[in-house]
Amino acid sequence: MRVLFLARLFAGLKSGLANGRWEPGGVPAIYRLIEGLAADRDVDLLTVFSVKEPDSRFPIAMRRDIPVIGDTLILPFAMPFGPGARRANAAWNEASDTARMLRMAARFKPDVVYANYTNVLPAALLARAGYRVVLRLMGMQSHHRDIAAGKAPFFRWLMQSPFAYVVCTEEGSDPAALIPDLLRRPDTPWTVRLNGCDAKALPEDKVREFRAEIGLGARPVVLFLGRLEAYKGSIAFIEAAIAMLKAMPNAADVVVVGDGPLRGEMEARVNAAGLAERVRFAGAQPHSRVNRYMNAADIYVSTNMYGNLSNANLEALAAGACLVLPTSDPSVPLDTVTDRLIPADTAERYARDALPGSLADALCRLVRSPQEIAARRIQTRALAQTIVLPWSDVIANDIALLKSVTIRAASTAIKAEVNQAGHQ
């Protein structure tokens, strides 16, 4: 089976590939599938990465045999109109990359094309040219909601292409409610599923050792983990943490794992409140240590306003932390599937439209009740066993899907089965 894999060159993949090595970080749904396909003896894989922003590490198109993943083409981001012409350069690169990918498909003659949404233009044109194309969505953004509502006519035309399959991550953005209006093709099969997760709950002695290593004592630990930027709700979290610690001095330790443009402002607010001893900024951590931080936490807080079934939240679930999540918003819809998968007796909810006060109140209530924290952690561990699959299973399912696409056209029966699964 020949697979042409079209993907954005994500930030977590750049450092290694700039040096001809495969050292992935982030985007596990993409890099693990590439690894799985490369390791499959029945698959002849060609991976094409397109650089979507200026990056001096990739000045020209480079085709290399990369250890672990094999034949790889990297398409650079050119600036023919000068560094100030952002939109014109982006349009030029989109057209140039699309032309190259179409030529590559004609030469490589893939049995199936797998493309993530950032390459929807070549994916749609290839599907309309008769290639079997599987389109991968990483959840729903406001852009997709606009398309589903009838806006953005060009992208609406692209999404109505005859894809062989559409696969979407359920990360809390409720894609199953939008995909029928996004595709508007009853004959296009689709499915929605959670990402995988290999994180585990560690033995108590290992947790105690790590807590001692990073200077944490017996007080409850409240953890925030993620990129420190606006859509992650970083400022709302730190304001809620400050309010909790002012109301209940010395009642808990707060740990922030991650980096980003808002870190300086978050640290400044903590210092101004005189709480630097209680709020620790650990910075970005290698993934091997992230699971330790998850296990060291008694309470894990998510303030993600775009959905709360993200990779980090699944890892917190698997680690058995007491989860604190925002309420859903059925009007969007947002996080209604999160409500169904993670019930009220497992995760504490705060009002998403009343931050930071509602989160501060929820934290204060939990910190006053260690018995409730312990009970919710037991519920979390039990739930993780039922809804979280290891990455190996998720990737095996993805590869099986690609192979099925190559041997039969999507039938009405397949569509009905997949759509039903997407709504479960």
Side-chain angles (χ1 to χ4, degrees):
M1 176 178 71
R2 289 187 165 221
V3 178
L4 178 61
F5 200 111
L6 308 179
R8 177 185 190 138
L9 186 53
F10 293 95
L13 306 178
K14 286 184 174 182
S15 180
L17 288 175
N19 297 304
R21 299 191 300 270
W22 183 244
E23 298 170 347
V27 291
I30 297 297
Y31 85 72
R32 289 177 184 270
L33 179 55
I34 293 173
E35 291 176 350
L37 289 167
D40 192 315
R41 294 182 179 180
D42 296 330
V43 174
D44 182 8
L45 175 66
L46 171 59
T47 303
V48 181
F49 290 114
S50 52
V51 182
K52 297 294 186 181
E53 56 279 312
D55 195 318
S56 60
R57 293 172 293 182
F58 305 96
I60 60 173
M62 295 182 289
R63 187 165 182 175
R64 297 177 177 174
D65 185 11
I66 304 292
V68 180
I69 66 170
D71 196 5
T72 303
L73 174 64
I74 300 175
L75 302 179
F77 187 92
M79 291 188 287
F81 304 104
R86 183 178 63 85
R87 290 187 178 181
N89 287 329
W92 190 93
N93 279 275
E94 192 68 28
S96 174
D97 288 353
T98 296
R100 289 184 177 187
M101 291 173 182
L102 295 180
R103 289 197 299 269
M104 188 63 63
R107 294 171 187 163
F108 186 62
K109 294 181 172 56
D111 297 298
V112 62
V113 178
Y114 188 96
N116 76 309
Y117 183 75
T118 53
N119 286 307
V120 66
L121 174 56
L125 295 179
L126 287 168
R128 289 177 180 274
Y131 290 87
R132 295 186 180 96
V133 178
V134 175
L135 183 67
R136 181 70 158 86
L137 304 173
M138 312 292 279
M140 294 289 108
Q141 306 297 325
S142 57
H143 167 69
H144 299 115
R145 298 182 192 280
D146 287 342
I147 298 171
K151 303 175 184 177
F154 178 63
F155 284 94
R156 191 165 70 248
W157 180 80
L158 294 178
M159 289 303 299
Q160 292 173 14
S161 300
F163 297 113
Y165 235 100
V166 175
V167 180
C168 187
T169 304
E170 175 55 87
E171 31 63 85
S173 60
D174 292 3
L178 291 175
I179 287 181
D181 289 332
L182 198 60
L183 302 180
R184 296 194 182 267
R185 287 187 69 98
D187 58 338
T188 299
W190 56 270
T191 189
V192 175
R193 59 154 175 74
L194 292 172
N195 273 333
C197 178
D198 291 336
K200 297 178 180 178
L202 298 178
E204 287 298 323
D205 60 331
K206 297 296 184 182
V207 174
R208 286 194 298 270
E209 286 177 12
F210 184 70
R211 285 175 67 119
E213 175 189 330
I214 60 177
L216 296 173
R219 285 184 293 269
V221 175
V222 179
L223 176 68
F224 179 92
L225 186 147
R227 180 82 176 152
L228 305 183
E229 50 190 322
Y231 84 93
K232 294 284 190 178
S234 306
I235 296 299
F237 168 77
I238 211 66
E239 285 297 309
I242 290 170
M244 174 196 67
L245 291 170
K246 284 185 174 180
M248 304 177 65
N250 302 322
D253 286 304
V254 176
V255 178
V256 178
V257 175
D259 213 337
L262 294 180
R263 178 172 176 175
E265 182 179 349
M266 294 169 72
E267 289 183 321
R269 294 192 185 204
V270 168
N271 292 334
L275 292 169
E277 292 186 2
R278 286 288 165 268
V279 182
R280 305 162 187 235
F281 289 84
Q285 294 288 321
H287 195 264
S288 59
R289 285 176 66 84
V290 166
N291 189 43
R292 297 184 186 182
Y293 276 97
M294 290 288 195
N295 277 270
D298 298 284
I299 299 170
Y300 170 85
V301 178
S302 176
T303 48
N304 192 328
M305 295 297 104
Y306 289 171
N308 286 277
L309 290 170
S310 65
N311 289 329
N313 290 9
L314 293 180
E315 291 183 7
L317 191 72
C322 171
L323 304 180
V324 180
L325 307 176
T327 52
S328 60
D329 185 351
S331 68
V332 176
L334 197 65
D335 275 326
T336 63
V337 173
T338 309
D339 284 351
R340 179 166 55 80
L341 292 180
I342 308 178
D345 64 351
T346 301
E348 172 76 5
R349 258 57 176 213
Y350 61 88
R352 71 167 60 230
D353 58 353
L355 282 167
S358 59
L359 175 55
D361 291 344
L363 292 175
C364 286
R365 195 182 71 77
L366 285 172
V367 168
R368 291 190 185 102
S369 179
Q371 297 86 355
E372 181 174 349
I373 293 175
R376 287 182 180 273
R377 295 190 71 180
I378 291 171
Q379 290 289 101
T380 300
R381 291 191 186 99
L383 179 64
Q385 297 297 316
T386 66
I387 70 170
V388 179
L389 291 176
W391 272 112
S392 59
D393 289 359
V394 172
I395 297 305
N397 290 339
D398 278 350
I399 294 175
L401 169 64
L402 290 177
K403 290 181 176 180
S404 74
V405 166
T406 66
I407 61 175
R408 57 178 176 174
S411 67
T412 303
I414 297 174
K415 172 196 169 292
E417 174 187 323
V418 173
N419 283 357
Q420 184 179 10
H423 285 280
Q424 288 178 356

